[in-house]
Amino acid sequence: MRIGIGVYDDRLSAVGLHLDGRRTDVVVPISSGIEAPLDRLLARFPTSPGDAVDSIAFDLSTVLRRAGDAPLTVVRIAPRPPVERTDEPHVGTAPILHVRGGHTTLGDELAPFDARGFRTAAAGIPGGSRVVITSVGSFANPAHELAAGEILLEHGGPLSVTFSHSFDSNSFATRERTAELNSAMSADAEALTTSLSLISGRRFPGARLSVTRNDGGRVPLSRLAAAPVHSALSGPAIEFVGGASFCGLTEGDLILATASGPILGTMRDEVPAVVPQLRWNGARLATQAAHLVPATRILLHGRVPAPRLVAAVGAELDEGLDDHGAVGADTDLRALGAAVAPLSDWALGVVRAGNATEMAHELRAAEARVHARLVAFGALPSMVRIVESRLVATTYEHARVVSVRVHGVAAEPTGEGAHDAVER
């Protein structure tokens, strides 16, 4: 049995999928704290030995919070500081430490890292600060970011350090912005991970715990604290996956009518189509995300075949959309999406490859890494599928530098007819 749980500010909404195809829906209100409501919710899922709970997936996108009190310091490593303040990426009022260093797209050093200067400047960082370190060219060579991190270990007070090279983008500003948001949510993610693990482990000690991701998949819950930014905006993607599962769509376009308006997306090979960046508050984040756009009459005109249409609970169909054949959901699609979402993993990065043989080798190596990680997540090796594997040109001046993109997924048994039989 698999359980998907949508965590909201005022309630927990769960969908349990039994191996025989039955579905159990449970909603528990939240007044204060998540521990007691989660325990009550899980107590509603008594199972027989032949239908034991082996997987619990959480969607936490609504409740992941940004830290509001911890001071932030930004460290920017580049050959030279900007000529004017206006040339810098915007990070609000956070102090910025400029350090000499950086690398080229090939990973060659542009300027030596000024370790002595940074050690002196780092002494002024307040204790308990969050520190985000971004270096020019760190997507190709993170050596200077790591060197700065080692110096911060000498700092007297506790620090939270986030490196921009952990996020795949050749844009300095995008990596820094993503690292800053990730840093701001880490403390809340750690607290949620601990609470959910303790309560779930007490009720179902044998169940694998996972958290949803922005790409419409999920990863082990233990990975949430390291990279909460990849789960912070997963709600629409997971609701879309739930809508596709509800109407049985594995390939093609789907319009999902939600409380905030209709969205359009595409299922390819049983997973949502994905884009490499996600817009957040008008800016780009370096996170793989399901490609969902507002469904407008102009965008839908002439599509053949016509997209499937699913209406989430509480959603009203837009007058501009043809509601012929629309399916009205009778369950929380976000919770259903969490239950059916596949395990997901990516291999992303910049490599040197000058001919077809080297490119093929890099792709095979990346696919092997993804396959191994998914198996480590708990997937059966026979269930792992590589749904995207390609090389992408990066910059015109370096023909031997290419970007690797490999996406693997692994589904688990959920039973058939997830929308047929319901127990409440």
Side-chain angles (χ1 to χ4, degrees), residues 100-141:
R100 183 172 173 79
H103 292 84
T104 68
T105 304
L106 289 171
D108 300 324
E109 194 172 72
L110 280 170
F113 176 63
D114 183 10
R116 177 180 298 180
F118 179 61
R119 183 174 283 106
T120 300
I125 299 177
S129 291
R130 295 183 293 115
V131 180
V132 171
I133 305 176
T134 315
S135 177
V136 170
S138 63
F139 63 91
N141 188 338

Side-chain angles (χ1 to χ4, degrees), residues 77 133-135 138 142-150 163-165 175:
I77 304 172
I133 305 176
T134 315
S135 177
S138 63
H144 288 176
E145 287 190 7
L146 295 174
E150 290 181 3
F163 300 104
S164 81
H165 71 262
R175 290 199 314 276

Side-chain angles (χ1 to χ4, degrees), residues 33-251:
I34 194 175
E35 292 84 359
L38 178 60
D39 190 60
R40 292 198 304 272
L41 181 143
L42 295 178
R44 301 275 297 275
F45 287 95
T47 56
S48 63
D51 192 22
V53 175
D54 57 11
S55 174
I56 304 175
F58 299 92
D59 182 90
L60 303 172
S61 57
T62 301
V63 296
L64 275 173
R65 306 294 189 211
R66 290 173 54 87
D69 52 353
L72 169 67
T73 297
V74 176
V75 176
R76 290 181 177 159
I77 304 172
R80 63 165 182 81
V83 176
E84 296 182 11
R85 177 79 179 181
T86 55
D87 295 337
E88 298 185 288
H90 179 67
V91 290
T93 59
I96 300 171
L97 298 182
H98 292 285
V99 185
R100 183 172 173 79
H103 292 84
T104 68
T105 304
L106 289 171
D108 300 324
E109 194 172 72
L110 280 170
F113 176 63
D114 183 10
R116 177 180 298 180
F118 179 61
R119 183 174 283 106
T120 300
I125 299 177
S129 291
R130 295 183 293 115
V131 180
V132 171
I133 305 176
T134 315
S135 177
V136 170
S138 63
F139 63 91
N141 188 338
H144 288 176
E145 287 190 7
L146 295 174
E150 290 181 3
I151 291 174
L152 288 175
L153 291 177
E154 305 169 5
H155 197 278
L159 293 172
S160 168
V161 180
T162 304
F163 300 104
S164 81
H165 71 262
S166 302
F167 306 100
D168 180 68
S169 174
N170 58 9
S171 165
F172 186 101
T174 299
R175 290 199 314 276
E176 182 179 271
R177 188 182 304 114
T178 307
E180 190 279 325
L181 179 60
N182 192 80
S183 172
M185 294 186 298
S186 291
D188 194 47
E190 290 175 1
L192 282 169
T193 298
T194 300
S195 297
L196 298 176
S197 299
L198 289 174
I199 301 302
S200 302
R202 186 162 62 237
R203 283 288 179 181
F204 300 109
R208 292 186 297 273
L209 307 181
S210 56
V211 63
T212 59
R213 302 261 281 190
N214 303 337
D215 64 358
R218 57 189 176 88
V219 294
L221 182 61
S222 59
R223 298 189 65 179
L224 175 65
V229 70
H230 296 316
S231 297
L233 303 168
S234 63
I238 294 302
E239 192 171 22
F240 181 81
V241 170
S245 174
F246 191 83
C247 69
L249 179 68
T250 60
E251 193 80 22

Side-chain angles (χ1 to χ4, degrees), residues 7-12 28-34 37-38 40 63:
V7 182
Y8 301 90
D9 287 320
D10 60 348
R11 70 190 187 281
L12 298 175
V28 172
I30 296 177
S31 55
S32 62
I34 194 175
L38 178 60
R40 292 198 304 272
V63 296

